[in-house]
Amino acid sequence: MMTDVPMAEEIIVIPDVHGRGFWKEAVAKYPNADTIFLGDYLDPYPDEDIDDEDAFNNFLEIVEFARNHSNVTLLFGNHDLQYWFLYDWGHRMKDWEDDIFEVFRNNMDLFHMFAVRYINGKRWLFSHAPLFEEWIDYTKLPHGLDQINDKVWEMLKEYNRNSTESWQTNRAAHDRVWKTLGRASKLRGGIDDCGSPVWADVREIAHGCNLYKDADYYVFGHTQMNKPLITDKFACLDTHQAYIINALGEIKAITSKTTPELPNKDDLYHS
């Protein structure tokens, strides 16, 4: 179960990892900080010279680190979900997919859809991508974060791609997750106006999607940017570096960006 946790002295946010090692620098600098990984641990980008074996070993290190440190929370992203169902959602590590699937299946207790912290008197919601009211309406899920989290894990546990269950039974379980978490907006190649909390794009906010109403501030990744987008309502931090949030809710980078600049990303939110 996902529970609300009071603000620690410092919160470290590790956005989309994709095989990168910047998280190690962040946790070495702040070993006792409340640390939240925003998901997408695997599937390195070809132009970053990270091979699949290194990305897999990096993932194992993250899981072991979380297992041994109670101050670490692991969230779940779209690049993680594809190993349940072998979706082709982007540079999947096909030679490692069975090993990856088993790591997730054997450590499901470590992974969550959301994390909540209270910072400077406000309720902050952390997720891989934005959580929209419209997605909750589409899926007819309960409105509470714990209930959504529990329903998602129930669906994931129902489906085992190595199961001896009948094709029809497994197909039904597969479709339930697809129709829940696989929903993407037209900006991401889908058909909906607002995507799921593993697929939603930050641009959907500017296009009229409504952030989850029972939080005061939102922190997410998923949409790659050259620099963080920090507003008075949300922070999109997928910039290939780690961030710290202090007791006043101020956000700043604590590792340097070492990856290549992304083309046409500087004005992404308004595009």
Side-chain angles (χ1 to χ4, degrees):
M1 176 179 289
M2 186 217 75
T3 56
D4 291 10
V5 177
M7 168 69 183
E9 184 176 346
E10 298 158 326
I11 296 177
I12 303 304
V13 180
I14 313 290
D16 310 43
V17 172
H18 288 292
R20 305 177 188 109
F22 65 87
W23 67 273
K24 299 177 189 179
E25 180 185 349
V27 300
K29 286 180 176 178
Y30 299 92
N32 300 315
D34 183 359
T35 302
I36 302 173
F37 286 76
L38 298 184
D40 275 11
Y41 305 95
L42 299 149
D43 306 338
Y45 287 88
D47 61 345
E48 295 183 29
D49 296 323
I50 302 170
D51 66 34
D52 287 355
E53 183 175 4
D54 287 342
F56 177 69
N57 288 330
N58 189 59
F59 175 50
L60 291 180
E61 286 186 63
I62 292 170
V63 171
E64 182 179 8
F65 183 72
R67 179 67 67 190
N68 294 325
H69 293 81
S70 60
N71 57 315
V72 175
T73 299
L74 302 181
L75 303 186
F76 198 70
N78 57 299
H79 280 270
D80 311 317
L81 183 66
Q82 70 176 346
Y83 289 96
W84 253 265
F85 304 99
L86 303 186
Y87 297 141
D88 193 10
W89 280 350
H91 42 278
R92 192 175 81 236
M93 296 163 48
K94 294 181 180 179
D95 291 340
W96 296 88
E97 57 194 20
D98 291 335
D99 298 295
I100 293 167
F101 176 71
E102 288 306 312
V103 174
F104 278 120
R105 290 283 293 187
N106 294 333
N107 294 280
M108 285 186 72
D109 60 305
L110 293 178
F111 292 90
H112 307 272
M113 286 297 300
F114 315 107
V116 172
R117 301 292 186 269
Y118 287 90
I119 304 173
N120 199 22
K122 294 184 177 181
R123 191 183 193 211
W124 286 46
L125 173 62
F126 297 78
S127 53
H128 177 66
L131 172 59
F132 290 128
E133 289 287 333
E134 287 83 356
W135 173 77
I136 297 174
D137 293 340
Y138 296 154
T139 57
K140 297 181 169 49
L141 285 169
H143 197 269
L145 296 177
D146 274 336
Q147 290 83 359
I148 294 173
N149 192 72
D150 291 347
K151 286 288 186 183
V152 166
W153 290 128
E154 284 174 16
M155 287 187 286
L156 290 177
K157 288 175 181 177
E158 277 183 337
Y159 178 78
N160 183 342
R161 59 188 172 87
N162 300 323
S163 173
T164 57
E165 294 282 351
S166 70
W167 181 88
Q168 291 90 345
T169 299
N170 248 349
R171 179 70 188 189
H174 174 285
D175 288 351
R176 275 192 289 276
V177 178
W178 173 260
K179 292 175 181 178
T180 304
L181 291 177
R183 304 187 81 114
S185 76
K186 301 174 182 69
L187 292 170
R188 289 277 183 157
I191 61 173
D192 292 319
D193 293 323
C194 310
S196 80
V198 297
W199 263 115
D201 193 292
V202 68
R203 292 173 291 178
E204 293 162 32
I205 300 172
H207 289 197
C209 294
N210 293 288
L211 290 164
Y212 180 69
K213 65 184 180 182
D214 289 342
D216 301 304
Y217 199 81
Y218 309 83
V219 177
F220 47 82
H222 182 61
T223 305
Q224 291 191 90
M225 302 180 123
N226 285 321
K227 55 188 178 184
L229 176 59
I230 301 174
T231 76
D232 60 356
K233 193 66 175 176
F234 66 85
C236 181
L237 301 180
D238 184 7
T239 61
H240 312 174
Q241 57 194 138
Y243 291 83
I244 190 168
I245 305 172
N246 67 19
L248 297 177
E250 297 166 334
I251 303 171
K252 69 175 184 178
I254 55 171
T255 62
S256 299
K257 175 179 163 62
T258 60
T259 50
E261 286 289 289
L262 302 166
N264 305 317
K265 291 288 186 178
D266 288 332
D267 198 35
L268 180 61
Y269 177 59
H270 301 287
S271 63

